[in-house]
Amino acid sequence: MSRYSLPPQLAEFIRGRGEHLRVFKSGPAGQAVAADALLRSGCNVALIAPGASEYREIKALLRLFSGDDLNRPVWERHWVSLGTHRPEFPSARFWAERMAVLHALVHGSKPKGLLLTADNLMPLWPSVETVQSNFQTLQRGEEISLEMVLELLVCWGYERRKMVADVGEVAVRGDILDIFPPGYGHPLRLEFFGDTLEQLRLFDASSQRSRQKLEEVTLLPVTPTPQSETRGSAAGGHWQELRRTGEMGAVDEQELRQALDQGNSWFFPGMYDPEAGPLEAFLPPDAVCVLSSAENLRQRVEEAGEAWREFVERQKRDQQRRWPLDALCRGTDSARNAWIDRRQLVFEDLTLGVEKNGLDLPETRYADFSDLFWKPDQAQRPWAALVAALKDWARRDGQTVLCFRTEHSRSKFLSLLEGENLGLALEFVPDRRGLFALVAPLAKGFELPWLNMRLLGEDVIQPRRETRVRSDGKRFQGLDRYDDLLEGDLLVHRDYGLARFGGLQHLRTGEVENDYLLLLFDGEDKLYLPADRIKLVQRFKGPEGSSPALDKLGGSRWSKTTARVRKALEKIAHELVAMYAVRRVTKGFVYGDPGEMYHEFESGFGFDATPDQDKAVREVFADMERPEPMDRLICGDVGFGKTEVALRAAFRAVVEGRQVALLCPTTVLAEQHYQTFKKRMEPFGANIGLLSRFVPPKRQKTVVAAAARGEVDVLIGTHRLLSKDVELPNLGLMILDEEQRFGGKHKERLKHYR
């Protein structure tokens, strides 16, 4: 059973009573606690995070709570994790960790916890049978030849190198076989004496020195499509069937068969294995699905589906490959229902238009020292404030967990506390109260009042020192630290362009040892960037799930790209100047006083408006009373009341006989706004319409026709509103929810309304 002191409703669910439980007001820390409690109670758990940022935080918290030893193979840990799954050609770097996770789910100790991002639900994965049958366990003293092991590894996607440095590589030196297989943090060295496996050990790739002797190792493929004669025949039959049904051309089949004949073991699972299927096939039937920010998961699945569609279209356009989409991934409807038939613990942020029936687990988030210690005297004497707080927390019946990025930083902190007699524990125990000092990659802070727990990372424990950096005239903003980087993250080097992060490497050059960031560029190009020059790189900022082409070291594409961006920015600046010049002389509709009906509508809010809401409403109304067209941006986090501002502006426009259009980026958000606007505005006689792909085509035609006649007062929808058949003859107000997410042809169409 769980050793946490949990609220009764959550504890009952963890004991197996109830198929669904909804949780509100929570965050990553509460989700990690609940998921770990489920795992400790004997349940298999799948925790689904919307995207990479949520995944990183939850992964750090799960590592803290579970106490997993990262020096042990992946399948021996409590929690395994799958980061974002991008549509890209299979490679050892991309698939090695995934094959280790799949092996853990099939062969590892039970129960098992799986953390994944929502986009992992879209692609097709190797069949369970493929993972079950493709592994090799070797024991010290076993009779097996080096050549047999090497032949197997080549069929599994390994590449021969002079020295092993990265996962998926193998090297032979006499009777020594070096391998870097999935699931291990360091490569393996196998020493043979004839056909006897005499020694097994882990070794350091940079120094080549042994780290640990082993009695047994497990070797796994680094490709999702390991080669065998039987599987090759099945793949050929699969391609022939795709060509027969017209889903793939003869040239495409020939290309795939030629790759197979040449010994290529890198194919998409669904293009090679007719039995390839969804990820949830690896989960036991009784696995509990923990949904993080559930209202965002369906949207992220749709975005992942769109990324796969774009990938297939690029292959067809650029490489003349006609590959069927359903051989690479499943449909979005199927992916969105991956958790439907399982027990669910659902964490939700929004409750708009939905009856609230669940459990509140409030969570406070701390970004830095000043969030926790906000008094002026505490800012002046931060160390004294922290020590006093630690003593106070130690006296209370609760848990305070201090997290440090490295063992060195923890040791330094503990040395400063010598003589304070605080009794900080160095290992986390769920049912023990008091202070803990742990090494965990958690930078921020969280407080769970319902669990009487406080989690504080280094950014919260130590106040930031404001430093002035002399500007050199360049606008490149590099990174400050690397501890939150994950292998596979896209980074931009100031001088060389886009690369993929290959991990942190500790290398020795002569007598000097240092940490380096491995940057992987196009065409096997590698750059080892000293950790103290991290300011030269920054994160790639683009749509989640996008997979842009990497730059090549010494190539001209990066310089050409930056030149094109400068020209594009200049063009946008000219367009903005011209557009706003026109807006200054264009006369729009001037709204009159709100009137009594508006005040009656305002009183139906049900809450006291915040000062920021009142200010935003006043400024919007002031814009509506001017003759110039309004162009105002309302910013605020989820739940801060932006919708209420939009409601009041829309109602005022409708009262004056004008039509309102509300454009949403997703069908889920459109449906939520539709329910909210109907509930608030229909009692006053307003007609609310909805356009999205969830609305049947026949109903869409009726709504479009009514809107064209001016009979729809507020029209809510997705980009369907931007279709040419949608006309609003008396449009007075256009509201864009999350405008930055409308790009490409939608951005051009929006100019028509402005």
Side-chain angles (χ1 to χ4, degrees):
M1 284 299 297
S2 165
R3 292 181 287 171
Y4 298 99
S5 299
L6 302 174
Q9 195 172 351
L10 179 58
E12 288 293 302
F13 178 82
I14 289 175
R15 292 190 187 100
R17 299 175 185 175
E19 292 298 310
H20 300 83
L21 177 62
R22 296 169 64 198
V23 179
F24 303 98
K25 299 182 181 179
S26 189
Q31 294 160 17
V33 166
D36 189 61
L38 276 165
L39 186 65
R40 290 177 183 274
S41 71
C43 297
N44 290 284
V45 183
L47 201 169
I48 308 174
S53 59
E54 298 92 344
Y55 168 84
R56 287 190 185 94
E57 285 191 327
I58 296 174
K59 183 178 181 181
L61 288 158
L62 287 174
R63 176 180 165 186
L64 185 155
F65 293 136
S66 67
D68 271 331
D69 183 358
L70 300 187
N71 292 318
R72 301 181 68 85
V74 167
W75 44 88
E76 295 182 10
R77 302 173 193 170
H78 298 96
W79 281 94
V80 295
S81 54
L82 292 169
T84 55
H85 196 121
R86 303 171 298 275
E88 64 177 39
F89 281 93
S91 65
R93 177 164 294 278
F94 186 79
W95 270 99
E97 180 183 5
R98 287 163 173 76
M99 296 305 291
V101 169
L102 297 182
H103 179 82
L105 295 176
V106 173
H107 295 283
S109 59
K110 301 294 183 181
K112 185 66 68 177
L114 171 65
L115 169 65
L116 67 149
T117 52
D119 52 9
N120 283 281
L121 301 173
M122 273 302 303
L124 296 180
W125 292 72
S127 65
V128 174
E129 188 276 332
T130 297
V131 177
Q132 286 176 333
S133 58
N134 283 275
F135 73 98
Q136 180 68 53
T137 301
L138 300 177
Q139 295 179 336
R140 189 171 68 87
E142 181 176 347
E143 294 292 326
I144 189 171
S145 68
L146 183 152
E147 291 75 16
M148 185 182 297
V149 176
L150 181 60
E151 182 181 354
L152 179 65
L153 295 176
V154 171
C155 291
W156 282 356
Y158 287 77
E159 292 190 14
R160 293 192 64 168
R161 293 282 190 267
K162 291 183 179 180
M163 292 183 63
V164 168
D166 207 349
V167 67
E169 295 179 348
V170 58
V172 180
R173 292 181 290 110
D175 290 334
I176 296 177
L177 183 63
D178 289 346
I179 314 167
F180 204 150
Y184 292 92
H186 296 278
L188 302 174
R189 177 159 292 161
L190 282 61
E191 298 181 15
F192 291 83
F193 183 77
D195 287 344
T196 302
L197 181 54
E198 195 170 53
Q199 293 291 338
L200 287 168
R201 66 187 71 212
L202 290 170
F203 72 95
D204 189 279
S206 58
S207 66
Q208 296 292 302
R209 293 180 178 176
S210 297
R211 295 179 58 93
Q212 179 185 353
K213 289 185 177 182
L214 303 173
E215 292 296 318
E216 181 180 284
V217 297
T218 300
L219 305 182
L220 303 177
V222 292
T223 172
T225 54
Q227 295 293 306
S228 71
E229 185 175 345
T230 303
R231 287 189 171 80
S233 299
H238 185 42
W239 300 332
Q240 188 175 7
E241 179 64 18
L242 290 175
R243 183 172 65 82
R244 188 187 66 79
T245 58
E247 298 175 82
M248 194 169 69
V251 175
D252 304 305
E253 182 188 5
Q254 182 180 359
E255 180 187 24
L256 292 170
R257 287 187 180 275
Q258 184 178 0
L260 185 63
D261 292 340
Q262 293 172 351
N264 190 337
S265 58
W266 295 103
F267 300 92
F268 284 99
M271 289 290 291
Y272 181 79
D273 184 359
E275 302 301 320
L279 179 62
E280 62 265 27
F282 289 88
L283 299 176
D286 62 344
V288 180
C289 287
V290 180
L291 310 183
S292 168
S293 301
E295 69 282 356
N296 294 325
L297 293 181
R298 292 178 179 270
Q299 171 191 332
R300 295 299 180 89
V301 169
E302 289 184 3
E303 292 172 355
E306 184 61 30
W308 280 98
R309 284 188 288 272
E310 291 176 357
F311 175 79
V312 170
E313 290 172 1
R314 283 200 308 271
Q315 291 300 309
K316 184 177 181 180
R317 181 182 65 248
D318 301 338
Q319 306 296 332
Q320 286 73 55
R321 293 191 180 105
R322 188 157 61 90
W323 288 350
L325 178 63
D326 58 4
L328 301 180
C329 67
R330 65 206 290 195
T332 52
D333 290 341
S334 173
R336 286 197 305 266
N337 293 325
W339 54 82
I340 290 297
D341 296 327
R342 299 178 183 272
R343 291 186 68 216
Q344 299 171 29
L345 181 58
V346 183
F347 289 86
E348 296 189 48
D349 297 330
L350 295 175
T351 58
L352 287 176
V354 179
E355 182 183 355
K356 182 178 176 182
N357 56 342
L359 174 66
D360 283 348
L361 296 180
E363 182 169 320
T364 303
R365 186 183 183 96
Y366 301 118
D368 54 34
F369 186 87
S370 61
D371 282 353
L372 191 58
F373 302 100
W374 48 270
K375 296 180 180 179
D377 59 322
Q378 293 174 327
Q380 293 171 2
R381 301 184 61 195
W383 179 252
L386 177 61
V387 171
L390 289 174
K391 291 179 178 179
D392 181 47
W393 295 333
R395 285 192 296 269
R396 299 182 188 179
D397 186 24
Q399 291 176 312
T400 298
V401 182
L402 309 180
C403 302
F404 302 88
R405 297 186 183 96
T406 65
E407 180 63 48
H408 175 73
S409 59
R410 178 173 71 169
S411 299
K412 182 179 179 181
F413 181 83
L414 293 176
S415 67
L416 293 173
L417 282 177
E418 285 184 4
E420 299 293 348
N421 296 320
L422 290 174
L424 280 84
L426 302 185
E427 292 185 6
F428 180 71
V429 181
D431 56 359
R432 175 179 172 177
R433 303 300 178 179
L435 304 179
F436 299 84
L438 309 179
V439 177
L442 190 68
K444 305 302 180 183
F446 305 91
E447 186 166 356
L448 306 175
W450 52 274
L451 197 59
N452 206 1
M453 176 186 286
R454 190 178 294 102
L455 306 163
L456 305 177
E458 282 195 56
D459 285 359
V460 182
I461 300 171
Q462 302 175 358
R464 292 180 181 176
R465 297 185 181 275
E466 297 294 332
T467 57
R468 293 175 176 262
V469 180
R470 187 172 62 184
S471 174
D472 59 358
K474 299 179 180 179
R475 297 181 179 273
F476 190 90
Q477 299 293 324
L479 297 176
D480 293 319
R481 61 173 186 258
Y482 52 77
D483 54 282
D484 58 346
L485 290 176
L486 295 177
E487 287 194 32
D489 284 353
L490 291 173
L491 300 176
V492 179
H493 191 285
R494 187 190 65 186
D495 302 322
Y496 303 122
L498 187 64
R500 197 173 295 284
F501 180 54
L504 189 67
Q505 306 283 330
H506 187 79
L507 303 179
R508 182 184 182 93
T509 306
E511 297 298 322
V512 179
E513 293 187 32
N514 198 4
D515 289 329
Y516 294 84
L517 279 71
L518 174 58
L519 304 182
L520 304 173
F521 290 85
D522 186 35
E524 302 292 331
D525 290 348
K526 296 181 180 180
L527 175 68
Y528 290 91
L529 180 72
D532 55 3
R533 302 191 67 192
I534 195 173
K535 282 288 186 182
L536 292 178
V537 295
Q538 65 182 16
R539 289 187 182 277
F540 169 77
K541 296 179 181 179
E544 180 128 13
S546 63
S547 184
L550 303 180
D551 288 301
K552 189 172 182 63
L553 276 178
S556 61
R557 184 166 60 187
W558 174 243
S559 58
K560 290 179 180 178
T561 300
T562 53
R564 286 198 304 269
V565 169
R566 290 191 194 97
K567 291 181 180 179
L569 290 174
E570 291 175 2
K571 181 181 178 182
I572 292 172
H574 287 303
E575 290 178 352
L576 286 173
V577 170
M579 182 180 72
Y580 280 97
V582 171
R583 294 177 70 88
R584 290 297 298 270
V585 299
T586 301
K587 298 303 177 185
F589 184 82
V590 178
Y591 291 85
D593 293 332
E596 290 299 323
M597 187 178 293
Y598 167 78
H599 295 300
E600 183 181 349
F601 173 82
E602 183 184 42
S603 65
F605 180 31
F607 301 92
D608 292 331
T610 66
D612 287 338
Q613 280 180 302
D614 283 334
K615 181 182 177 183
V617 170
R618 288 196 304 271
E619 291 175 348
V620 169
F621 281 12
D623 287 344
M624 296 175 75
E625 293 165 6
R626 296 190 183 99
E628 297 83 14
M630 176 171 60
D631 188 10
R632 178 168 289 276
L633 176 67
I634 306 294
C635 294
D637 208 342
V638 172
F640 275 52
K642 301 185 297 295
T643 302
E644 181 62 23
V645 178
L647 272 164
R648 297 186 185 186
F651 185 82
R652 186 171 178 185
V654 170
V655 168
E656 297 258 0
R658 311 292 289 186
Q659 289 177 294
V660 177
L662 172 53
L663 185 59
C664 307
T666 67
T667 52
V668 173
L669 200 54
E671 177 67 27
Q672 288 177 335
H673 283 319
Y674 175 66
Q675 297 296 337
T676 302
F677 273 67
K678 277 187 64 177
K679 181 179 179 181
R680 290 288 302 281
M681 297 182 70
E682 278 194 343
F684 295 88
N687 186 14
I688 315 298
L690 175 65
L691 284 179
S692 75
R693 62 186 183 84
F694 284 173
V695 179
K698 187 175 181 180
R699 175 60 182 165
Q700 288 191 35
K701 291 181 180 179
T702 302
V703 172
V704 168
R709 295 192 300 267
E711 297 173 1
V712 174
D713 297 305
V714 180
L715 184 58
I716 301 171
T718 58
H719 58 272
R720 175 69 176 86
L721 266 64
L722 303 178
S723 302
K724 293 183 179 180
D725 64 331
V726 178
E727 294 293 335
L728 297 168
N730 201 21
L731 183 63
L733 182 64
M734 184 81 174
I735 303 172
L736 309 181
D737 194 343
E738 299 187 51
E739 179 189 13
Q740 74 278 8
R741 295 174 60 181
F742 297 97
K745 61 183 180 181
H746 303 324
K747 205 76 172 181
E748 292 299 317
R749 180 66 174 156
L750 281 171
K751 293 180 181 178
H752 167 74
Y753 290 96
R754 287 179 168 175

